[in-house]
Amino acid sequence: MDKILEVKDLHVNFATYNGTVQAIRGVSFDLNAGETLAIVGESGSGKSITVRSILQLLAKNADIAKGSILYHGDDLLQKSEKGMDNIRGNKISMIFQDPMTSLDPTMPIGKQVAEPLLIHNNVSKKDAMARAEEVLRLVGIPNPKARMKDYPHQFSGGQRQRIVIAIAIVDYPEILIADEPTTALDVTVQAEIIDLLKELQQKIGTSIIFITHDLGVVAGIADRVAVMYAGKFVEYGSVNDIFYNPQHPYTWGLLDSMPTLDTSEANRLNSIPGTPPNLLNPPKGDAFAPRNKYAMEIDEEEQPPYFKVSKNHYAATWLLHPNAPKVDPPASIKKRFEKFKELGGSVK
């Protein structure tokens, strides 16, 4: 598969009254044509900052201290604001979490959907409005021709999210970044939006970066998954690797806190104890060590490198070192290992 985006050793700092927050600490990943990459982790892990860096949509106190973001080999961090205006919403587009903060309450939705075409393409207003109607129909808005004159408050929450998606895809971008687009929606509408994104991906051939804290959502849309903690990726691999052969204790914790059909009153969900570290003063060793019951002395002293689990599966945990003691993961994770074997995988 062709790589269309490569993020290399990205470091992002924020200047605050209390000091410098090291929000992103050496993130690297790539995105292939036509695939969906999910980035998961707790709130504050750096997911949104990572993707906002791609479009240079960071706060004024942010500083991209190190790294490169290559789009077809062209470093976006070296582009001017005018150069980025030609990328944003045209080549790379973004869906934000809350549709009501993304939509203008004073403007009919037809004009809002058509606006990116008028900005990025030399098209007439008539043609732009016709394309807006076509895209609204594509995302499932009933009777789009009539409803183009309506305002955001006249739509349901799920329909407003569909309109935001329509705005993001009206230019048929090569990359679509979805920043927790289902968080504010109920479970039924969440499933509809996920199905819509998968359908649109097939129809317009876009690649997707999907940001979420909900691993349950990831299973239904992702090809590959990157697990993020304290400004770093701690594990990444295929969706099967992460769900059925996870190796990092943080990934174990996230999966162990997910409800399943086996969850009952007698078999309650577990939670990850403690809180993420303060990135004003990042820990010397593994940032997850204080919350990790499997932590060793070396975790307090040195950050673990990425250990290769399989061809495209890596995890940054000292538990994968050849000299590390063998530990028993939670019972729910053991069940996933067994499922992985059934799927034809191998657990070493």
Side-chain angles (χ1 to χ4, degrees):
M1 299 178 73
D2 295 332
K3 290 182 183 179
I4 58 175
L5 183 74
E6 295 178 80
V7 176
K8 298 181 177 181
D9 197 25
L10 182 67
H11 290 71
V12 182
N13 299 333
F14 286 84
T16 71
Y17 290 115
N18 294 322
T20 300
V21 175
Q22 299 177 42
I24 304 299
R25 304 182 300 137
V27 164
S28 299
F29 66 93
D30 52 59
L31 182 68
N32 298 317
E35 80 164 343
T36 298
L37 171 69
I39 302 177
V40 302
E42 292 170 285
S43 296
S45 60
K47 306 182 300 296
S48 293
I49 295 171
T50 298
V51 294
R52 283 174 176 265
S53 299
I54 296 171
L55 290 173
Q56 295 186 39
L57 294 175
L58 297 171
K60 291 182 179 180
N61 64 330
D63 172 40
I64 299 180
K66 186 180 178 183
S68 60
I69 300 174
L70 305 179
Y71 173 59
H72 289 295
D74 194 9
D75 192 350
L76 298 181
L77 299 183
Q78 303 302 318
K79 285 190 172 293
S80 64
E81 184 64 21
K82 184 176 181 180
M84 285 305 301
D85 283 343
N86 294 326
I87 297 290
R88 299 187 192 110
N90 184 19
K91 303 297 184 183
I92 305 175
S93 195
M94 191 163 181
I95 305 167
F96 296 95
Q97 182 173 336
D98 185 356
M100 283 306 284
T101 60
S102 302
L103 297 172
D104 186 337
T106 68
M107 184 186 295
I109 61 105
K111 288 185 177 180
Q112 295 191 56
V113 176
E115 191 172 41
L117 292 171
L118 296 171
I119 293 173
H120 295 296
N121 298 282
N122 186 23
V123 298
S124 66
K125 184 177 179 180
K126 180 181 178 181
D127 288 343
M129 294 299 282
R131 176 70 169 273
E133 179 186 341
E134 173 191 333
V135 173
L136 284 170
R137 182 175 289 107
L138 186 64
V139 299
I141 299 297
N143 195 15
K145 185 172 184 178
R147 301 226 63 187
M148 284 176 65
K149 298 178 183 179
D150 291 342
Y151 292 83
H153 73 273
Q154 295 174 277
F155 295 85
S156 68
Q159 287 177 327
R160 286 195 291 264
Q161 192 61 285
R162 289 172 183 267
I163 293 166
V164 170
I165 293 171
I167 295 171
I169 69 164
V170 71
D171 249 343
Y172 288 3
E174 191 170 17
I175 298 173
L176 180 63
I177 299 171
D179 189 2
E180 305 220 32
T182 63
T183 298
L185 306 174
D186 64 54
V187 176
T188 302
V189 179
Q190 278 187 12
E192 292 176 356
I193 296 299
I194 294 298
D195 288 341
L196 172 62
L197 288 173
K198 291 192 292 186
E199 181 182 346
L200 291 173
Q201 185 175 37
Q202 294 297 318
K203 288 183 176 179
I204 68 176
T206 190
S207 301
I208 298 175
I209 301 175
F210 193 93
I211 306 300
T212 184
H213 63 270
D214 186 349
L215 272 169
V217 171
V218 168
I221 192 170
D223 298 303
R224 289 189 296 139
V225 181
V227 181
M228 194 167 197
Y229 184 78
K232 285 177 170 286
F233 285 171
V234 297
E235 184 166 6
Y236 57 93
S238 71
V239 69
N240 272 351
D241 290 333
I242 300 303
F243 273 83
Y244 298 114
N245 191 24
Q247 299 294 317
H248 198 284
Y250 180 60
T251 312
W252 294 351
L254 292 177
L255 290 167
D256 203 29
S257 64
M258 281 177 55
T260 68
L261 294 176
D262 297 327
T263 303
S264 64
E265 189 69 22
N267 181 25
R268 294 190 175 186
L269 293 175
N270 294 313
S271 61
I272 303 173
T275 58
N278 184 347
L279 295 182
L280 278 167
N281 297 292
K284 179 180 178 182
D286 185 353
F288 188 60
R291 307 174 71 186
N292 180 10
K293 69 178 183 179
Y294 308 100
M296 300 173 286
E297 288 185 13
I298 192 172
D299 286 296
E300 303 290 342
E301 299 297 326
E302 294 184 41
Q303 295 183 22
Y306 287 110
F307 291 91
K308 185 175 182 178
V309 181
S310 62
K311 182 179 179 182
N312 297 304
H313 183 192
Y314 294 82
T317 171
W318 286 114
L319 290 177
L320 291 176
H321 191 279
N323 296 331
K326 302 303 177 185
V327 301
D328 288 327
S332 65
I333 304 302
K334 289 183 179 180
K335 289 182 180 180
R336 291 178 181 275
F337 287 150
E338 294 303 317
K339 182 65 175 178
F340 186 67
K341 291 179 181 178
E342 291 176 15
L343 291 173
S346 60
V347 181
K348 297 182 180 179

